[in-house]
Amino acid sequence: MTQSSDPLLQPYQLKHLSLRNRLMSTSHEPAYSEDGLPKDRYRLYHLEKAKGGIALTMTAGSALVSRDSPAAFGNLHGYRDEIVPWLKRLSDDCHEAGAAVMIQITHLGRRTNWNHSDWLPVLAPSAIREPAHRAFPKAAEDWDIDRIVADYADAAERMQAAGLDGIELEAYGHLMDQFWSPATNLRDDDYGGALDNRLRFTRRVLDAIRERVGTEFIVGIRMVADEDWDKGLSREEGVEIACNLANGGQVDFLNIIRGHLETDAALSKVIPIQGMASAPHLDFAGEVRAETKFPVFHAARIADVATARHAIAEGKLDMVGMTRAHIADPHIGRKVMEGREGDIRPCVGATYCLDRIYEGHEALCVHNPATGREASMPHVLRPSNGPKKRVVVVGAGPAGLEAARVAGERGHQVTVFEAAGEPGGQIRLAARSPRRRELIGIVDWRMAQCEKKDVTFRFNMLAEVADIEAENPDIVIVATGGLPNTLFLETGAEHVVSSWDILAGDAAIGSNVLLFDDNGGHPGMQAAEMIAASGASLEIVTPERFFAAEMGGLNHVPYARTFIEAGARITINSRLAAVRREGNQLSADIGSDYSERIDCRTVDQVVVEHGTLPLDEIYFALKPGSSNLGEVDYGRLVQGGELFPQANPGGGYQLLRIGDAVSSRNIHAAIYDALRFCKDL
Ligand SMILES: Cc1cc2nc3c(=O)[nH]c(=O)nc-3n(C[C@H](O)[C@H](O)[C@H](O)COP(=O)(O)O)c2cc1C
Ligand code: SF4
């Protein structure tokens, strides 16, 4: 085989370790751990990336070195010996598939909660509150430091015993760099003050680790080289630390971070989401590489292959992290190698993945439901061995498009009816916001994949039963979505408009608007964002304890910024009770679940978001003619087997309803519905 000239596909030599290309996934905790251990789910997740051509997968979102660093989001327990055999299996499997495996280890310091696991007090260099986890740490004592240094060495030894190719120390926002930063280190002992003192803990940790693992084992550091914070670590000091570490002979690579993690707003600069700049810190990482002349890795919203290639070609990085990009498509390397870049499922920056772990869930990709479900959901669909079926899909929103794609990949003959002139449904609506425009990638990628499988689309076609039956289908999949629900309002539903009306531009925005959000997700917030941007006076009312309850911390940031800057009023714990017309104004009654008190607002527009009601007429019309009468065996859906009971043997086709046509949910649920139902068609 001739060697590719693609900069991304060039091998990289890190000490004795040969990496097959320049693609890596930086450490990230998907919260797939079970009992703090990387069991099968964890292993299969990383193995998929190894099979997909990645050169290096950095496991763990910081395996914890000490018990008094309780997991903040499902972190692995690096302080337990039981982790070794699980990691050994993971690394053996990934090695067999051609990828190197390392692990990030850390002590979280103050960046965690004290009120779970072993209920040990959280510590930090100084007793300064950490706002993101609400910890009030104690200042680390001499015996704490000795103990934690030893814990690092023990953990490193475990990782070496597990056959991993190396470790990476986490030093941004965690204990190690909490010692570096003037914002978190106010000590006046040997560990505070001059930079040399602030580096003492790091030096002790590195000495202890090297003593235990020797000089050959790869040890890197993921480090902040500029906290971009007036009271934090400056660029000058950060780069000085990088040079110091590079020249110190104890670390083998630097993985560069710019920014700090004090708040969600700060975190969103380190890990930018959709609508924010692409690769904002790439040039900075390149400057650190130039100054240190040392191997430099980096990740921060390098979501597409062209930018990654540029990073390598221009000598900015040695290894390029495409972390969320691999969550969206673990097969990037393979597709680049095969000249199929166009087939890469794009990371659209939705950051559903990361926001979920901060809400106590596991990381899931908004439009790749196979990620994290490798044991049951395929990333690569193979053609069916069975007979070719005629599949009719009604609706070309996310659920319908995914069903069409999957059925097409399975080799079936697929026809999609769509009432609108374009595909995408609610995603097209959401992508009207410039900030969320990238979401259209979810639609465009599926359309391109469907085209390759000769899926037929009939747009502007409101399909009737006769149209569908004329296709003589073996299976009909109803994915017609829903329409905004305004009927929950007992008095005044006729006076309100929905968030969709605002998003679609069907309703002109008023000048004094009350938006009632009883959903907690993007639709209401996006409408509110448009209203705020229009200059209208805005009050957001929600029955929840905080606004946008279904939204994670990072997606919260741009909304909160907009609302604060626009001076929008946010009223929690309150429920829209009734709306009445009063002249050319509307009078809105606001009650709550907590008291009988009713407040009244006078506005010129009331916008409501209360999810959707299923558009299910066609489903119920098709039901009598189906062989399963629409029934699905949920037990078999989860465990495998024939999904559709023969409830009506005389029926002509199997009938399935998915996505919001069943009930109001989200993009991930719609696409997961489609994949899980159609993967075995
Ligand atoms: C679900 C998730 C969990 C993460 N957890 C960690 C972590 O524990 N340690 C870490 O250094 N970075 C963590 N990150 C940050 C990633 O390593 C990476 O820096 C970030 O996603 C930006 O790179 P990307 O734009 O290529 O995704 C996490 C990211 C995600 C999406
Ligand atoms: S959820 Fe969004 S940001 Fe996360 S991997 Fe998927 S597409 Fe990318």
Side-chain angles (χ1 to χ4, degrees), residues 476-509:
V476 180
I477 301 171
V478 175
T480 39
L483 282 178
N485 180 1
T486 55
L487 298 180
F488 69 96
L489 204 58
E490 283 176 19
T491 307
E494 68 278 19
H495 300 310
V496 305
V497 299
S498 72
S499 56
W500 286 28
D501 293 325
I502 299 292
L503 294 177
D506 291 343
I509 296 173

Side-chain angles (χ1 to χ4, degrees), residues 25-31 60-62 73 75 104 168 170 172 174 222 257 270-272 299-303 321-325 327 347 351 353-355 357-358 363:
S25 166
T26 55
S27 165
H28 58 288
E29 183 46 71
S62 304
F73 33 72
N75 310 60
Q104 184 183 71
E168 171 185 85
E170 210 279 14
Y172 69 106
H174 293 191
R222 192 168 204 200
I257 294 283
V270 177
I271 307 179
R301 204 158 139 73
I302 299 172
M322 296 185 75
T323 304
R324 282 169 293 177
I327 296 178
C347 171
T351 314
C353 47
L354 182 54
D355 268 351
I357 67 167
Y358 285 113

Side-chain angles (χ1 to χ4, degrees), residues 272-274 301 303 323-329 345-355 364-368 371 439 442 668:
I273 70 168
Q274 61 184 194
R301 204 158 139 73
T323 304
R324 282 169 293 177
H326 277 89
I327 296 178
D329 190 338
R345 186 185 314 228
C347 171
V348 297
T351 314
Y352 185 64
C353 47
L354 182 54
D355 268 351
L364 293 173
C365 174
V366 71
H367 80 126
N368 187 350
T371 296
L439 284 176
I442 297 175
H668 180 86

Side-chain angles (χ1 to χ4, degrees), residues 590-649:
I590 310 289
S592 82
D593 301 339
Y594 307 94
S595 128
E596 299 302 311
R597 176 186 164 123
I598 298 282
D599 286 323
C600 189
R601 308 276 200 274
T602 302
V603 293
D604 65 2
Q605 188 173 51
V606 175
V607 181
V608 297
E609 168 56 46
H610 187 86
T612 53
L613 286 173
L615 263 171
D616 52 15
E617 265 178 50
I618 191 69
Y619 168 77
F620 283 104
L622 287 164
K623 207 171 151 175
S626 68
S627 57
N628 60 323
L629 296 178
E631 188 179 341
V632 176
D633 186 325
Y634 282 168
R636 288 185 177 162
L637 177 65
V638 175
Q639 280 157 6
E642 174 54 47
L643 295 180
F644 305 113
Q646 277 283 325
N648 176 27

Side-chain angles (χ1 to χ4, degrees), residues 368-392:
N368 187 350
T371 296
R373 297 193 180 99
E374 282 75 12
S376 58
M377 295 294 133
H379 281 276
V380 179
L381 293 152
R382 312 261 176 231
S384 161
N385 294 324
K388 185 170 177 154
K389 294 178 182 168
R390 281 179 303 274
V391 180
V392 170

Side-chain angles (χ1 to χ4, degrees), residues 71-235:
F73 33 72
N75 310 60
L76 299 180
H77 294 174
Y79 53 83
R80 283 166 54 199
D81 290 340
E82 299 97 294
I83 198 169
V84 174
W86 292 105
L87 279 176
K88 174 103 181 62
R89 209 169 153 209
L90 186 159
S91 65
D92 285 352
D93 283 5
C94 289
H95 286 155
E96 206 177 313
V101 188
M102 299 191 194
I103 193 165
Q104 184 183 71
I105 62 173
T106 202
H107 191 295
L108 291 162
R110 67 188 194 129
R111 192 172 162 74
T112 186
N113 311 87
W114 48 269
N115 55 1
H116 64 113
S117 298
D118 298 312
W119 282 70
L120 294 170
V122 166
L123 58 69
S126 301
I128 300 170
R129 191 191 190 228
E130 198 263 355
H133 299 78
R134 302 185 201 95
F136 292 94
K138 79 159 193 167
E141 298 174 58
D142 47 2
W143 57 270
D144 287 315
I145 293 175
D146 294 348
R147 168 177 64 79
I148 293 168
V149 166
D151 286 347
Y152 266 101
D154 289 346
E157 193 174 357
R158 285 185 195 103
M159 304 314 160
Q160 190 180 36
L164 299 180
D165 297 292
I167 58 170
E168 171 185 85
L169 308 181
E170 210 279 14
Y172 69 106
H174 293 191
L175 183 62
M176 187 159 281
D177 63 296
Q178 287 163 21
F179 274 100
W180 301 353
S181 174
T184 45
N185 184 348
L186 307 180
R187 298 174 77 101
D188 55 9
D189 62 1
D190 288 350
Y191 293 88
L195 185 60
D196 194 48
N197 276 354
R198 284 182 271 142
L199 282 172
R200 190 177 306 280
F201 174 71
T202 303
R203 276 199 306 273
R204 283 194 60 190
V205 168
L206 284 168
D207 286 347
I209 288 177
R210 278 299 176 202
E211 199 171 301
R212 205 70 72 79
V213 301
T215 51
E216 286 309 299
F217 191 57
I218 291 174
V219 179
I221 185 163
R222 192 168 204 200
M223 60 164 288
V224 58
D226 173 8
E227 280 196 306
D228 187 23
W229 191 14
D230 53 359
K231 58 182 185 176
L233 192 76
S234 66
R235 183 192 194 282

